[in-house]
Amino acid sequence: MRRVGAVILAALVVAGALAPAASGEDTDPGPRLVVVGDSIILGARSDVLGALAHWDLAFDAEVGRSTAQGLDVLRSLDAGRADIVVVELGANDAGSAALFATRMRAVLDELADVPQGIWLTVPEIEPYYVDSNALLRAEAEARPGLAVAEWGVLSQATPGATADGLHLRAPGREAITDLVVFHVEAARRRLQVEALVVRLRASAYWLAARGGGRRGSGAELAVAHALDARVEVVDELGATLDQPVD
């Protein structure tokens, strides 16, 4: 996505210069983030909360939590209406691939309307974790709004990350926090681009209405040229949304 920065800058200039002023102040509290997990991410609770203190964040993790129990918690938090949801589940019920697959899909169905879901893989210290991670990756291929965060890989590449292959020591707390923040911020940038595309399209309609399809005066020609530029920016921004964010 080499041109995204330049495109967004150009879009902001066009939007700021040509869009009508808003009536009243912006009262949007910002994106809502939900993090639900088991004892693994519970070990990094203070680190994650500190790193994401500027977010509207609900964090709920518990020792021994299964994927089915996580689904109940997600429902209680109304996570289906969040902007971004981070899930760290599967360590306690991945022993049965069929059971985990059913529970995983139930969670993802519950989050179907969430713009971006992020699910952490489990460190592959048992063969069944290899299978459950493979199921998760395969499911993500069919769900564009789901990103797989490879904690299973990162944990094993981080010296001293865990005490027993799963539960975190200090290096692991730092590493899992960095991983979560990376994915959350990438998702935030994607949501910002999507919101900007919506704003640009709305402003394009405004320009079209102001221009009225007439030609003649310099002002009207300027509006027409600005509208043409706006449409080109919208098209390019829209095309970037299916590309990974660097």
Side-chain angles (χ1 to χ4, degrees):
M1 197 181 292
R2 293 185 296 273
R3 300 186 60 196
V4 172
V7 171
I8 292 177
L9 177 60
L12 287 169
V13 170
V14 174
L18 296 174
S23 58
E25 296 182 358
D26 183 6
T27 58
D28 184 358
R32 179 170 176 250
L33 171 63
V34 173
V35 179
V36 168
D38 53 35
S39 59
I40 293 177
I41 203 164
L42 178 61
R45 183 181 186 276
S46 60
D47 303 77
V48 172
L49 290 176
L52 298 171
H54 56 293
W55 284 76
D56 176 9
L57 169 60
F59 184 106
D60 194 307
E62 185 176 81
V63 174
R65 177 173 286 164
S66 69
T67 305
Q69 292 168 333
L71 175 58
D72 292 337
V73 173
L74 288 163
R75 286 171 173 161
S76 72
L77 295 173
D78 199 18
R81 299 181 65 182
D83 297 289
I84 302 169
V85 176
V86 177
V87 177
E88 183 280 302
L89 293 168
N92 294 303
D93 54 358
S96 166
L99 179 63
F100 174 72
T102 298
R103 292 176 172 181
M104 172 190 65
R105 292 181 184 123
V107 168
L108 294 174
D109 289 344
E110 178 69 19
L111 303 178
D113 293 331
V114 174
Q116 184 65 63
I118 301 162
W119 197 310
L120 278 66
T121 56
V122 181
E124 296 178 349
I125 60 172
E126 298 289 351
Y128 49 79
Y129 290 143
V130 177
D131 295 338
S132 65
N133 287 342
L135 286 169
L136 176 60
R137 296 183 190 106
E139 194 69 21
E141 291 292 325
R143 297 182 187 254
L146 175 63
V148 176
E150 292 287 356
W151 173 240
V153 175
L154 181 59
S155 68
Q156 294 177 327
T158 304
T162 69
D164 56 5
L166 292 176
H167 300 99
L168 303 175
R169 288 177 171 163
R173 292 196 298 271
E174 181 178 354
I176 200 171
T177 299
D178 288 345
L179 181 67
V180 169
V181 170
F182 172 82
H183 278 277
V184 166
E185 291 297 336
R188 178 186 60 82
R189 292 194 297 273
R190 179 183 176 88
L191 293 178
Q192 287 177 329
V193 172
E194 290 174 341
L196 181 57
V197 168
V198 171
R199 182 181 175 188
L200 288 168
R201 285 176 177 150
S203 189
Y205 289 131
W206 176 78
L207 281 170
R210 288 291 301 270
R214 294 174 291 133
R215 295 182 179 274
S217 73
E220 288 167 344
L221 287 174
V223 167
H225 288 315
L227 177 56
D228 290 340
R230 177 65 56 81
V231 171
E232 289 177 6
V233 170
V234 168
D235 289 343
E236 186 163 355
L237 276 172
T240 68
L241 293 180
D242 292 327
Q243 302 179 29
V245 178
D246 295 333

